[in-house]
Amino acid sequence: MRPEIIVHLGSGLCSELDDYAGSAEKVVLVEAQPDIAAQLRESAARYANVDVICGAVRKDGGGGTAPFAVFNVSEVSGFCPPGALKAMLPRLSEVRKIAAGLMDLNSVLTRYQALGLPYRVIVDVNGLEGEIIEALAEPASGYFVSDIRVHCGLHALYEGGLSAAEVESRLLESGFRDVVSEGSGPVRTVRGHRSLAVYIDTLIERERASLRTLQQSSAQAYAGALEQVDLLTAELERVRSEGEASRSALEGQLAERLAQRDMAREREKANFEALETAKRQLADKEAELERLHSEGEAARTELESLQQSSAQAYAGALEQVDLLTAEMESLRSEGEASRSALESQLAERLAERDTARERERANFEALENAKRQLADKEEELERVRFEGEASRSELEGQLAERLAERDTAREREKANFEALENAKRQVQAAESELERLRTALASSERNVEDRQNENKRLQQELDTAREDLRLSLRIQRLAQADLAELQQRYAESVSQRADIENQISGLIEHFQLEDARKSALAKKPALPAGQNRRPVNKTKSRSAKGK
């Protein structure tokens, strides 16, 4: 029995079940059709190392269902419609469709990773060979696929399926070696083997490629961040220069408007002074006219008094009055002319004043417009300044963020560089370890058959050891019974020893008493002749010694 796990995807009724169960420590059969899976489960019930899973394995399954076509030939059933195979089997027809439960290939393989054994995968999924091979090509966590066997056609038999040559190419790209195509006719079996050393080399190369990609992306992100910072800095300088230019232009327009306002005020002041002069001249002319009118009235009064006072002097007076009247008329005409001239001058002055006022009003309106424009420009300037400040703050914030991102990127780059150095050191250590493993693996591969023979011998020894263990357990139980009996005997012997020790103590006391008595008898004087000594009771002494 080889130390491996066999996983058969699309097993059907699995005619190889007996061979699988007797050759591998664990067998996993995956079948999408529930009725066939139930029959297969009944057939595999006699084997403790066989598991049957009802479901369809896809690269990105992970739950849900998909329509599964069942044909009148059970082996043709699957997700992909038969293409060239239908031309080869004209009577092939679809019987029904079922909703097959989908499973992720990685989830199926990781169920048994605790066993720590390599996998041998048999792919018997119609039209999905490329998907399964692509899933097995990705780096796995916790398991290792060492052997693969793909059932396919010499040419693609299903829509989306692969030919035998394409399967061989895909297996070689996925890191499998010793890829061979077996069989004749339209159906082929492609086998491949992948050693652990080559698989580790592939993983290391992928990690190196991902690390290089990470470094390139970090460098590109860093360069892009620097370029963005430069663009933002140039934009900030441009906005700042435009704000300064707009401010200078508005200040120039404000100075020009203020100069025009001062000139308008000066003209208005001159016009006002000219108007006041004209008003004073008009008042003087009006005063002169009133004076002349009062003088004429006085002359008329005097004339009337002269007419009343003297009739004689009437003619002369009349002449004088006529003269005075003519003079008055001339003076009046002169006054009227002067008044007309003054009125015309006044009208001109008033027209000039109105014109000046109109100009002043126009200037004032222009000034107000200029003020409003200035206020608008100032508001625009403030808005532009505020926007410039906001943009500047935003750009400074963005710059700070970009600088922080740059620092973060540098830190990440530094960490990535340190990680790269650590990875390099780990890779070097892994390479040295890999060399050692390669050597050990080469040695272990050379000794696989010896180990298998050794495993058989060890199995025999294990069976013998089991028998010996059973015998030793039986002997142990007997020994435990003997030990209990010996313990009981030991307790009895301890009790007997205590009794003997008590007897010995009594004897010792008796002998001590005998020695004392003998000593006392030896110290006594000898008896006279004819007297007998007291006989010694030998029976009592013998009985005491027996005790």
Side-chain angles (χ1 to χ4, degrees), residues 215-227:
Q215 288 178 344
Q216 292 175 359
S217 61
S218 299
Q220 291 176 357
Y222 179 67
L226 289 180
E227 183 178 357

Side-chain angles (χ1 to χ4, degrees), residues 223-234:
L226 289 180
E227 183 178 357
Q228 189 69 19
V229 168
D230 294 336
L231 291 175
L232 290 174
T233 305

Side-chain angles (χ1 to χ4, degrees), residues 286-461:
E286 288 178 350
E288 183 69 22
L289 182 62
E290 289 295 328
R291 185 181 62 77
L292 292 173
H293 184 72
S294 62
E295 287 179 357
E297 290 295 329
R300 182 180 292 178
T301 303
E302 185 178 0
L303 180 61
E304 289 178 354
S305 65
L306 286 174
Q307 286 178 354
Q308 293 176 359
S309 63
S310 177
Q312 297 175 357
Y314 178 73
L318 184 61
E319 292 178 359
Q320 188 177 0
V321 169
D322 293 333
L323 292 173
L324 290 173
T325 302
E327 186 179 359
M328 184 181 63
E329 288 296 330
S330 65
L331 289 174
R332 183 177 293 173
S333 61
E334 289 178 0
E336 289 294 332
S338 177
R339 183 175 181 178
S340 299
L342 289 174
E343 286 179 354
S344 62
Q345 290 179 3
L346 179 59
E348 291 177 358
R349 296 296 183 181
L350 290 175
E352 290 178 358
R353 184 191 66 180
D354 294 336
T355 304
R357 283 183 178 176
E358 291 295 329
R359 286 198 302 269
E360 182 181 357
R361 188 178 295 110
N363 291 330
F364 182 75
E365 291 177 355
L367 180 62
E368 291 297 325
N369 291 329
K371 287 181 179 179
R372 287 193 295 271
Q373 291 178 1
L374 180 61
D376 294 338
K377 293 295 183 180
E378 288 178 350
E379 290 178 359
E380 182 69 18
L381 179 62
E382 288 297 327
R383 185 182 63 79
V384 171
R385 185 181 298 167
F386 179 75
E387 290 179 356
E389 292 295 331
S391 179
R392 180 180 178 179
S393 301
E394 183 179 359
L395 289 173
E396 288 178 352
Q398 291 179 359
L399 180 60
E401 291 178 0
R402 296 296 183 182
L403 292 175
E405 290 177 358
R406 183 189 67 183
D407 295 335
T408 305
R410 286 181 177 175
E411 292 295 330
R412 286 199 300 268
E413 185 178 1
K414 184 178 179 181
N416 291 332
F417 182 75
E418 293 177 355
L420 178 61
E421 293 296 327
N422 292 329
K424 286 181 179 178
R425 290 193 293 271
Q426 292 177 1
V427 166
Q428 291 176 356
E431 287 177 350
S432 61
E433 181 68 17
L434 184 60
E435 289 296 329
R436 186 182 65 79
L437 289 174
R438 284 175 178 172
T439 305
L441 184 60
S443 176
S444 63
E445 286 178 351
R446 288 193 299 268
N447 295 328
V448 167
E449 294 182 358
D450 296 337
R451 288 185 179 180
Q452 290 178 351
N453 296 329
E454 183 70 17
N455 287 334
K456 291 180 181 179
R457 186 182 61 79
L458 290 175
Q459 185 66 35
Q460 294 175 357
E461 291 181 357

Side-chain angles (χ1 to χ4, degrees), residues 121-408:
V121 179
I122 295 92
V123 181
D124 208 350
V125 289
N126 301 329
L128 301 178
E129 302 88 358
E131 183 176 317
I132 301 300
I133 294 172
E134 183 180 355
L136 292 175
E138 296 178 354
S141 174
Y143 63 87
F144 168 64
V145 178
S146 61
D147 294 279
I148 188 170
R149 187 174 69 192
V150 182
H151 295 158
C152 59
L154 177 62
H155 304 287
L157 300 177
Y158 297 85
E159 294 182 7
L162 301 178
S163 64
E166 291 173 336
V167 170
E168 292 180 13
S169 177
R170 293 286 186 91
L171 290 179
L172 290 173
E173 291 175 358
S174 301
F176 288 94
R177 297 295 179 265
D178 302 331
V179 177
V180 294
S181 178
E182 301 174 349
S184 59
V187 179
R188 299 297 174 90
T189 300
V190 181
R191 299 176 181 269
H193 174 73
R194 180 166 58 184
S195 65
L196 182 60
V198 175
Y199 183 67
I200 292 175
D201 289 340
T202 305
L203 293 180
I204 291 174
E205 288 299 324
R206 288 184 180 177
E207 289 296 328
R208 287 177 177 174
S210 63
L211 188 58
R212 286 194 296 269
T213 304
L214 179 61
Q215 288 178 344
Q216 292 175 359
S217 61
S218 299
Q220 291 176 357
Y222 179 67
L226 289 180
E227 183 178 357
Q228 189 69 19
V229 168
D230 294 336
L231 291 175
L232 290 174
T233 305
E235 184 68 18
L236 178 61
E237 290 297 330
R238 186 184 64 79
V239 171
R240 185 179 297 170
S241 61
E242 289 180 357
E244 293 293 335
S246 178
R247 180 177 179 180
S248 300
L250 290 174
E251 288 178 352
Q253 292 179 2
L254 178 61
E256 185 178 353
R257 295 293 183 182
L258 291 175
Q260 292 177 358
R261 185 192 65 180
D262 294 337
M263 292 175 64
R265 285 181 178 178
E266 292 294 331
R267 286 194 301 270
E268 182 182 359
K269 185 177 180 182
N271 292 330
F272 183 75
E273 289 176 355
L275 181 61
E276 290 297 327
T277 303
K279 285 181 179 180
R280 286 193 298 270
Q281 291 177 358
L282 180 61
D284 293 340
K285 293 295 183 181
E286 288 178 350
E288 183 69 22
L289 182 62
E290 289 295 328
R291 185 181 62 77
L292 292 173
H293 184 72
S294 62
E295 287 179 357
E297 290 295 329
R300 182 180 292 178
T301 303
E302 185 178 0
L303 180 61
E304 289 178 354
S305 65
L306 286 174
Q307 286 178 354
Q308 293 176 359
S309 63
S310 177
Q312 297 175 357
Y314 178 73
L318 184 61
E319 292 178 359
Q320 188 177 0
V321 169
D322 293 333
L323 292 173
L324 290 173
T325 302
E327 186 179 359
M328 184 181 63
E329 288 296 330
S330 65
L331 289 174
R332 183 177 293 173
S333 61
E334 289 178 0
E336 289 294 332
S338 177
R339 183 175 181 178
S340 299
L342 289 174
E343 286 179 354
S344 62
Q345 290 179 3
L346 179 59
E348 291 177 358
R349 296 296 183 181
L350 290 175
E352 290 178 358
R353 184 191 66 180
D354 294 336
T355 304
R357 283 183 178 176
E358 291 295 329
R359 286 198 302 269
E360 182 181 357
R361 188 178 295 110
N363 291 330
F364 182 75
E365 291 177 355
L367 180 62
E368 291 297 325
N369 291 329
K371 287 181 179 179
R372 287 193 295 271
Q373 291 178 1
L374 180 61
D376 294 338
K377 293 295 183 180
E378 288 178 350
E379 290 178 359
E380 182 69 18
L381 179 62
E382 288 297 327
R383 185 182 63 79
V384 171
R385 185 181 298 167
F386 179 75
E387 290 179 356
E389 292 295 331
S391 179
R392 180 180 178 179
S393 301
E394 183 179 359
L395 289 173
E396 288 178 352
Q398 291 179 359
L399 180 60
E401 291 178 0
R402 296 296 183 182
L403 292 175
E405 290 177 358
R406 183 189 67 183
D407 295 335
T408 305

